[in-house]
Amino acid sequence: NAGVTQTPKFQVLKTGQSMTLQCAQDMNHEYMSWYRQDPGMGLRLIHYSVGAGITDQGEVPNGYNVSRSTTEDFPLRLLSAAPSQTSVYFCASTPHGRQYEQYFGPGTRLTVT
Amino acid sequence: AQTVTQSQPEMSVQEAETVTLSCTYDTSESNYYLFWYKQPPSRQMILVIRQEAYKQQNATENRFSVNFQKAAKSFSLKISDSQLGDTAMYFCAFMKHDSGGSNYKLTFGKGTLLTVNP
């Protein structure tokens, strides 16, 4: 198993550009989530999904969209990037019924200039 | 809403010594999980140890152990025989336990940067 994969590892955007951060898992996990990590702030939940076709907002959802068309993939879309979205983004997945097992991806470092 | 507080932004320890990282949390829930995650310079999030709130016994994993004080809402991490590879950011995290297993949201503290000196 590749586990949780994220692409790209690094990205630089200009203000106003759009892009999609990719997240995929090959463990058939039902639950997937996106967190952002800012210096001095820990990780904060952006959006999450409890299964294909079902998504919901976390603590800091503004400026981000998500969809979950398959169990494996959970992309995070930035429609119009802003400097405040400069951060490290982590995707995580969890198997059903084992909520205490979170598998994190390696992260994407995004810089918006 | 739950909050997790790590009051030590940075700590340092000499190799082979013992260090304790502090974490307090606030919740009205009676059943939950607490975690310590390690984030080395590689950025990967690594689970160090987990504690279920209904268990009175403190969790241990080799050189890592916790002091879980439920009434005081305190969850400290003790690292014994510190090694250079323990240098990392450490995050304390909270998750509400759901009997149906359908809550998966983690609430993190701001982290403690631990440096192990040779």
Side-chain angles (χ1 to χ4, degrees):
Chain A
N1 287 349
V4 179
T5 59
Q6 291 184 238
T7 55
K9 285 188 170 50
F10 301 92
Q11 182 71 47
V12 179
L13 289 179
K14 294 189 188 306
T15 297
Q17 287 184 318
S18 63
M19 81 158 295
T20 299
L21 306 185
Q22 301 290 347
C23 174
Q25 50 91 11
D26 60 357
M27 299 172 283
N28 201 32
H29 287 173
E30 192 170 79
Y31 181 84
M32 297 184 74
S33 55
W34 278 102
Y35 292 86
R36 62 176 287 173
Q37 181 182 12
D38 302 301
M41 292 296 293
L43 279 74
R44 292 179 292 168
L45 183 64
I46 305 171
H47 283 287
Y48 63 96
S49 169
V50 298
I54 306 169
T55 64
D56 206 346
Q57 296 181 350
E59 181 185 352
V60 288
N62 292 343
Y64 307 94
N65 281 352
V66 292
S67 60
R68 183 103 178 264
S69 56
T70 67
T71 299
E72 294 78 19
D73 301 297
F74 190 43
L76 179 72
R77 297 184 185 87
L78 285 69
L79 299 180
S80 179
S84 61
Q85 294 178 304
T86 293
S87 189
V88 178
Y89 292 85
F90 287 95
C91 180
S93 73
T94 305
H96 176 69
R98 301 209 298 273
Q99 62 181 136
Y100 47 80
E101 287 186 18
Q102 301 257 345
Y103 294 77
F104 283 89
T108 294
R109 179 177 292 277
L110 175 68
T111 301
V112 183
T113 61
Chain B
Q2 290 77 29
T3 59
V4 177
T5 302
Q6 294 180 247
S7 58
Q8 305 149 314
E10 294 187 37
M11 295 189 72
S12 63
V13 64
Q14 292 299 121
E15 197 174 6
E17 293 188 344
T18 296
V19 64
T20 299
L21 280 58
S22 300
C23 173
T24 59
Y25 58 95
D26 188 24
T27 184
S28 58
E29 303 290 335
S30 59
N31 203 4
Y32 46 86
Y33 297 99
L34 294 164
F35 306 85
W36 279 98
Y37 282 91
K38 171 186 178 181
Q39 187 181 46
S42 67
R43 204 167 65 200
Q44 183 68 46
M45 294 292 288
I46 302 166
L47 177 65
V48 174
I49 201 164
R50 179 183 84 232
Q51 175 80 42
E52 288 91 344
Y54 68 89
K55 290 186 177 179
Q56 292 188 345
Q57 186 172 6
N58 290 324
T60 63
E61 288 288 342
N62 300 313
R63 297 183 295 109
F64 299 87
S65 61
V66 297
N67 183 4
F68 173 48
Q69 301 289 330
K70 191 172 183 179
K73 295 181 181 174
S74 170
F75 183 61
S76 60
L77 175 69
K78 186 172 81 171
I79 306 174
S80 304
D81 186 26
S82 296
Q83 300 175 0
L84 296 178
D86 295 333
T87 292
M89 181 72 83
Y90 287 81
F91 291 100
C92 180
F94 173 99
M95 175 186 283
K96 184 178 76 169
H97 179 267
D98 184 290
S99 58
S102 62
N103 173 64
Y104 303 90
K105 293 181 250 186
L106 281 164
T107 300
F108 286 86
K110 294 184 178 182
T112 296
L113 179 61
L114 177 67
T115 301
V116 180
N117 299 307

